[in-house]
Structures are given as C-alpha cells and as structure tokens.
Amino acid sequence: MTDQHQPSPPSTPAPDLFTWEFAANPYPAYAWLREHAPVYRTRLPSGVEAWLVTRYGDARQALADQRLSKNPAHHDEPAHAKGKTGIPGERKAELMTHLLNIDPPDHTRLRRLVSKAFTPRRVAEFAPRVRELTDDLIGRFAGRGSADLIHEFAFPLPIYAICDLLGVPREDQDDFRDWAGMMIRHQGGPRGGVARSVKMMRGYLSELIHRKREALPAEPGPGEDLISGLIRASDHGEHLTENEAAAMAFILLFAGFETTVNLIGNGMYALLTHPEQRARLQRSLAAGERGLLATGVEELLRFDGPVELATWRFATQPLTLGGQHIAAGDPVLVVLAAADRDPERFADPDTLDLSRRDNQHLGYGHGIHYCLGAPLARLEGQTALATLLTRLPDLRLAVEPGELRWRGGLIMRGLRTLPVEFTPPGENGTHRSPTQR
C-alpha cells in the first residue's frame, strides 16, 4: 500500500469505461477512479476481468513488483478469456520470447543481450537519418497547404526509422508499412487482422535473420544494423537463438512504431489546442534553444502520452495493492494515463506546462521493464515536433477538436487522423525548405 489518502465514498456512480466517449477523453473517469476506487476490478471489452491501478504511488509500486509477472502462463484464465491477453497471433507465430512477456532470469539475460545492440551511441548516430526522413515526409505535403499528420507523417516516420535501424532493405520497407497499418486499423476490433499481420511479419523476419546470419562478417562495420547486432550479441558466449532474435526484432518494431506515432500525433494535437504553450516552444526553437523542446516532450508524454495502460501483468501470489486484495493469477493493468495526472504527485496535473521540471512521469514505464527504445522515441518525437513547428509555423487544425476520433483499443492511445492546414512554405515571402530526396 502507498501512503496516499484512502478512497472516499463515491457521491456519483462509477463512470462507463471503454466507450467511444471515454476514448475521446478518459481523464475525468480516471480522476473518479483515483478518488474512489484506485485499484478497480472491471470486465474489459474482451471479456477478461482485470484490476486497473490508477494512482501514481500504486502504479509505480506495481510496475516494479516482482510478484506481478509479465509471463501470460501465470494468468488464471477462464475459458472465455483464453488467448485474449497480449499481442494477437504472437503465440502461434512463436514470438512470445520477448521482453514484454518474460521475467528474470530470462528477462535479465535477454535485456542484457539486446542492450548490447541497442546502445545510446547507436541511437545518437541515427539522428541524421531521422532528420532526413522527417524533412522528406514534410516535403511531400508542404506545397499543398494541408495534410493528415497521422497518415502522412506520424505513421510513416517511425516505421521507416525502425526499419532502417533494424536493417530491413529499403525495397521491403513498404511491406512493413502495410503490415503495421493493418495492426493499427484492426486494434479494438477482431484480433484476426492483427494476427495475420504478425504472421506475415514473422515469416519475413525469420528469412531476413537467416540471410544476415549467413552473411555476417567476422567484425562489425561502421553503422551495422540492429538485427546484425542482435545476431552478434553474446553473453558469456551465449547468443540469441533465431526465435529469440525474431521475437526481439518483432517487439522492437511493434512497440517502437505505434508509441512514436501516438507521441507525435497526441503531442502535436496538444500543442495545436494549447496555443500559448505552442508559441513558447516556437519562440524557443527560433532562438536556437533546445531546453524547452526536451522538457516539452517529457510533458507531452505525461499530459496525454502514447501508452494509456502498461502491458499485462499477472499476480504470481496473493498480494495487497492500494488496499485491495489481489488473488494469484489475476491480471493487473497499470493505467499510466491516470497515474501521470495524479494530483498527489504532480502540481496542476491537468495543465500542460512545457517547462515542467519535476516530471518523473511513467510514460515509458518503471523498473526492469522500463522501455528500451525510449531514447529513440525521444529523438524521433523531438525531431518531428521541432521540424513541423519550424517549417510550417502557422500550422492549425483543419477541423474542430470534437470532430477528431481516437482509436479504440486497450493499451495505446492515439488519434485516427489529424487533419491540419498551413501556409505552404514559399508563399507570402516565407522560405521554402528543399526536400531531402
């Protein structure tokens, strides 16, 4: 238990969860849960019953509690819930052995191996390519004066970036874009569409890993791709198996693209609907400063982050969390979006403040499962937002905020579309930036 105040008796009934109205703005419902039922048992749209953890202190405890396993084998699931947790199709595709599904000591070994390939230096060296991709994508629609920032920018940028980083040949990257698009479109609906995409991606990755393993040089060259790095990485002489390498490449792609799509989309939407904060950031960028951009992206992650609920956890033994008894085998979902607006932890939590300093948000998790790809996501988010605001300074929403629709789903939070208008660069005396390709 945390030392936060005890739940108060509710004066209003519990809010409806997982409706379309809830998806558009879940924060009032989460505020009710934090106040009245901070660890709340509910039936999810899939039929699975799970505990929702909404207070920051409880959430941080749950994310680091080793009694809450990531391994779905610990789920005491009734027949109607069988196979309804996790990523659709990953079990049949033999993609279960990745960091989101395993516990120590296997997690410790795999994370150490992957960390050797996914280093901060590798991410830093990738920055010029992210800038090139960002400029190229903006260049494709800049002359029109309008765009859908989700489909034309926020979605393709991380797909092409992670494909480049993994070492997927350019001629195959549009296939990955199609598979990823199927995953996003089918979320919240039938699981079969996602499972088919997972199966196709699995087959391709297995073949690519085999080809790269056969052609791997004795010593790594400059700018070696991530899949080659995964194949080469060893821990006391022990290498990743081909299944492990495929599962790791898959989860880096799966977890790495949609979180960044939503970081850019949600972040840009927040800036467009908070003009004073957006103007502060544009003035800072125009002055050549980067400090407000760095704190600003962290605040956007806290305020309306890309991951609404942390991925599944399962109690391995009876435990007490937030005053609630949780039985062995029960699923637990930490609501990051609720924890990151907890007034017990953040001053004025419903206010967007790009200069917020005391900002230990949980947007990338906490504990041993802290997101390995956070440095890459931050790089992409900072580059994307800064370039958009600099090259298209009068960017504005093309529809009323109430007309926008949010994707249905459980884990991620993101917009279906983000239509915008702007003055094309080169008109009214503004400078037209060249495209990069």
Side-chain angles (χ1 to χ4, degrees):
M1 285 182 64
T2 69
D3 58 0
Q4 291 187 317
H5 66 82
Q6 293 301 304
S8 61
S11 56
T12 56
D16 290 332
L17 304 178
F18 311 117
T19 63
W20 289 111
E21 293 78 13
F22 170 84
N25 181 15
Y27 297 103
Y30 289 150
W32 190 98
L33 290 177
R34 277 196 312 266
E35 182 67 24
H36 302 297
V39 179
Y40 180 69
R41 189 173 177 90
T42 188
R43 184 179 292 272
L44 305 173
S46 64
V48 176
E49 290 194 2
W51 294 95
L52 302 181
V53 181
T54 54
R55 287 184 181 169
Y56 183 92
D58 296 330
R60 192 174 166 92
Q61 174 189 332
L63 291 172
D65 195 326
Q66 295 196 15
R67 296 171 298 176
L68 293 174
S69 168
K70 298 292 291 175
N71 189 340
H74 290 290
H75 183 193
D76 183 20
E77 53 188 350
H80 75 269
K82 197 159 186 66
K84 291 184 178 179
T85 63
I87 300 168
E90 63 179 352
R91 190 184 304 271
K92 284 186 178 178
E94 297 182 337
L95 288 170
M96 294 292 288
T97 52
H98 58 68
L99 294 177
L100 295 185
N101 279 344
I102 56 175
D103 305 315
D106 290 335
H107 177 273
T108 309
R109 169 184 157 267
L110 279 182
R111 186 166 178 117
R112 190 160 53 225
L113 283 169
V114 175
S115 296
K116 291 181 179 182
F118 204 76
T119 61
R121 178 180 175 182
R122 188 188 294 268
V123 172
E125 289 172 348
F126 197 57
R129 177 61 180 151
V130 173
R131 288 195 295 271
E132 180 186 10
L133 284 167
T134 301
D135 274 327
D136 174 50
L137 289 168
I138 294 174
R140 297 181 190 186
F141 58 74
R144 279 206 323 261
S146 65
D148 175 0
L149 287 185
I150 301 298
H151 291 284
E152 296 183 79
F153 184 69
F155 177 74
L157 174 60
I159 284 288
Y160 291 140
I162 198 70
C163 280
D164 277 353
L165 196 65
L166 286 169
V168 176
R170 298 278 172 91
E171 61 268 22
D172 296 341
Q173 292 186 5
D174 283 337
D175 289 336
F176 267 80
R177 180 175 175 168
D178 291 343
W179 296 330
M182 288 170 66
M183 289 181 182
I184 281 188
R185 283 195 300 275
H186 287 285
Q187 279 190 14
R191 292 166 67 86
V194 180
R196 284 193 296 275
S197 302
V198 168
K199 183 178 179 180
M200 288 185 284
M201 200 176 286
R202 171 66 164 96
Y204 177 85
L205 286 172
S206 295
E207 181 186 334
L208 181 64
I209 288 166
H210 181 73
R211 290 205 313 263
K212 287 183 179 292
R213 193 187 294 275
E214 292 290 309
L216 196 69
E219 296 295 329
E224 181 177 73
D225 64 75
L226 189 55
I227 286 180
S228 297
L230 288 173
I231 295 167
R232 194 184 297 280
S234 67
D235 188 21
H236 304 297
E238 184 178 11
H239 290 75
L240 289 168
T241 66
E242 206 146 291
N243 262 1
E244 288 172 339
M248 286 311 309
F250 165 73
I251 203 61
L252 287 170
L253 180 83
F254 188 89
F257 91 87
E258 193 176 359
T259 51
T260 308
V261 174
N262 295 346
L263 168 57
I264 297 169
N266 298 7
M268 201 64 231
Y269 172 70
L271 292 172
L272 292 173
T273 51
H274 293 78
E276 291 182 4
Q277 293 295 309
R278 175 253 190 91
R280 285 180 67 196
L281 182 53
Q282 285 181 303
R283 289 194 297 270
S284 173
L285 293 170
E289 300 165 357
R290 303 286 291 186
L292 191 62
L293 177 64
T295 60
V297 166
E298 298 309 304
E299 174 68 346
L300 293 169
L301 283 162
R302 182 201 69 81
F303 182 75
D304 198 9
V307 183
E308 191 166 346
L309 282 74
T311 50
W312 295 85
R313 284 165 167 78
F314 308 94
T316 59
Q317 58 184 274
L319 60 101
T320 300
L321 183 64
Q324 285 288 353
H325 173 75
I326 294 173
D330 279 0
V332 174
L333 289 165
V334 176
V335 188
L336 305 178
D340 280 342
R341 293 225 191 169
D342 188 342
E344 294 283 328
R345 176 59 187 82
F346 299 99
D348 299 318
D350 295 321
T351 298
L352 181 70
D353 178 7
L354 299 184
S355 59
R356 189 184 295 268
R357 295 285 178 181
D358 181 17
N359 195 1
Q360 288 187 307
H361 64 77
L362 300 176
Y364 286 126
H366 171 65
I368 63 171
H369 291 283
Y370 183 83
C371 177
L372 193 67
L376 178 61
R378 286 188 169 102
L379 167 66
E380 292 174 339
Q382 290 184 21
T383 304
L385 295 177
T387 310
L388 278 171
L389 292 174
T390 302
R391 287 188 60 180
L392 308 174
D394 67 345
L395 199 67
R396 57 196 176 273
L397 278 175
V399 298
E400 291 298 318
E403 296 178 46
L404 295 173
R405 292 293 174 264
W406 297 79
R407 284 194 299 275
L410 188 64
I411 302 299
M412 300 291 184
R413 173 164 171 77
L415 287 161
R416 291 175 178 267
T417 61
L418 185 56
V420 294
E421 297 172 336
F422 48 87
T423 303
E427 295 185 12
N428 300 327
T430 48
H431 174 68
R432 181 184 294 276
S433 299
T435 60
Q436 300 298 306
R437 287 183 189 169

